[in-house]
Amino acid sequence: MPLRHLFNWIFYGHIWIAVAATGLSWMTLRLAYGPPYWASETPVLTFIFLATLGVYTLHRYLSFQRSGVRPTTRRYELVRDHPTASLIIGGGSMIAAGAIGMTFIESIWSSLLWALPITVFYLTPPIKGWRRLRDLPYVKALWVAWAWTIMTWDVPVEVMRDAIQTSYVENGSGGLNLPITPASPQLPFPTEMPLRFLFTLSIALLFDFRDVVLDKSQSVKTAANQYPVLAKSIVSVAMTICIITVFRADGYSTATAWACTMAYGTTILVCWATNDQRSENWYATVVNGMLVLLPVLVGLAYYYDWYVVGSSPF
């Protein structure tokens, strides 16, 4: 496979973004439950990977098919050259995710009530003649951040809460004198929901710079195309809040706090290096890469705390 094709499949075929969602979900579980002693996390992490891959692939396919003039930008190259493969990958991933999700549907149905409408109506108006969610002024990034927070924070915790509770009841505590059951998320879990929202909101705001021309052509107002300096300032303030929080909130080890700080600080640097003149590769690799960088650095901190220092990572 030529290098360009491999690059396209990874970064424009949405494998990279699916890895990011899976990594953030893994990070959530480490912060919530510590080491995975009690139940397998593979089903829910596989579900999130496949669901993310399927949703993003089908969104790209639908966007391409509905466009009046066929887009020629880099991100549409795969779906333009391989429409059938894109449809099969997107549809197949969604079917597989649905099959896995049905095994723990009782744990996630309330989360899906929030996530599914955002996913469906982001590109499709709920009623003919109405606006799509992405077309509403200044809130496009909010929908993306809310969906990502639900899928990478709420869904994995709800699934594992029930799985761990079941394992705990069936197998007992193994002689451990525990003050609470392992199914109860520990600190700093409650802190992570607002931080996850601010982080994914920041990445979504940066992606609005990529879409300045497209959004203006569709009369969609965003902070990036109306108030670009303000948009970057919001990202910088949001990341600064995240940095301060991980050092002041209970539950973060020193290594974990510094790992988060490195990721959030790098996001600020990327923010001010981002503009509507950047190539699509910048957004596909670097901006999306921030979503990968955070769980990778937290994973290294986890390894350091657990295997090098020999203390609890969180």
Side-chain angles (χ1 to χ4, degrees), residues 18-71:
V19 168
T22 308
L24 288 172
S25 300
W26 174 89
M27 172 182 162
T28 296
L29 294 177
R30 295 289 70 72
L31 293 173
Y33 296 118
Y37 288 143
W38 294 90
S40 174
E41 300 168 351
T42 300
V44 67
L45 294 180
T46 302
F47 167 78
I48 290 168
F49 177 88
L50 291 171
T52 306
L53 179 63
V55 166
Y56 273 81
T57 301
L58 291 178
H59 269 195
R60 184 63 49 79
Y61 178 86
L62 181 62
S63 179
F64 180 79
Q65 295 297 330
R66 288 186 171 183
S67 59
V69 178
R70 295 303 191 196

Side-chain angles (χ1 to χ4, degrees), residues 5 9 43 73 81 177 212 233 278 301:
H5 287 171
W9 279 110
T73 50
D81 296 342
N177 183 19
V212 162
S233 299
R278 285 286 188 176

